[in-house]
Amino acid sequence: MEYQQKKSIVTLVQTLVVLGAYGLYSFGKVRQGIVGWDDTQFFAVTMLKFIGVGILLTIVVQIIFHVLLSVSIAVKERRKESREIESAISAAMVEDERDKMIELKFTRISVSAFMVGFIGGLVLLALAYPVSAMLNLLFFAGGLGAAAEEAAKLIYYGAGSRNA
């Protein structure tokens, strides 16, 4: 499995964890009767908190991922000199033009998912649902779009490595 596949798996899992935690927390509060569906401020504040948590989690997880990947490469190459090990680590984590094009290509998935969520949110507002329903739909559409983007990259890279 190559670097991009591993990175996509880590990002996909991290995104789903944040979305799941948000869903459990916020909808749990609604189910317990602590807040109502029309409590827009609660949902907005909770989303901002989870966006912050998601950003911090991304930073921490990516650092840990790169450290563990570097260590695993160094262990595999342990019989070589340190310069050769550093070279192997750098080579494993390189992102070339192909990877950048794939990134741009699959960014459309997350943007499209967000737009579908936006239109769905407008429909909810037109049907007189609370604004918090639109906010939640936008939040989940953005998150699931990001997850779908990573899953598509994972599938694409997997097919590419099988055909190589």
Side-chain angles (χ1 to χ4, degrees), residues 18-121:
V18 171
L19 282 178
Y22 169 78
L24 289 173
Y25 176 78
S26 61
F27 300 140
K29 296 282 187 187
V30 171
R31 197 173 329 115
Q32 293 170 357
I34 297 171
V35 297
W37 281 110
D38 57 347
D39 192 349
T40 306
Q41 183 180 12
F42 165 77
F43 285 107
V45 169
T46 303
M47 284 178 201
L48 287 171
K49 287 178 183 176
F50 274 87
I51 288 170
V53 166
I55 290 169
L56 290 175
L57 187 64
T58 298
I59 293 168
V60 170
V61 166
Q62 290 299 319
I63 290 171
I64 292 170
F65 168 71
H66 284 89
V67 167
L68 291 176
L69 185 64
S70 298
V71 168
S72 71
I73 292 169
V75 167
K76 286 179 190 174
E77 306 285 332
R78 67 180 171 265
R79 300 198 195 288
K80 297 181 179 176
E81 291 185 32
S82 65
R83 235 177 289 142
E84 292 173 343
I85 293 172
E86 289 174 22
S87 177
I89 291 170
S90 295
M93 293 185 199
V94 72
E95 291 188 17
D96 57 11
E97 290 300 316
R98 177 182 137 244
D99 297 324
K100 291 176 184 170
M101 292 302 292
I102 290 169
E103 183 78 28
L104 288 172
K105 181 178 184 177
F106 288 114
T107 298
R108 284 186 263 167
I109 292 173
S110 58
V111 171
S112 297
F114 186 78
M115 286 309 300
V116 167
F118 180 74
I119 293 168

Side-chain angles (χ1 to χ4, degrees), residues 109-127 130-131 133-143 145:
I109 292 173
S110 58
V111 171
S112 297
F114 186 78
M115 286 309 300
V116 167
F118 180 74
I119 293 168
L122 290 177
V123 169
L124 289 177
L125 289 178
L127 296 173
V131 174
M134 179 187 190
L135 286 176
N136 280 297
L137 185 60
L138 285 173
F139 188 76
F140 279 103

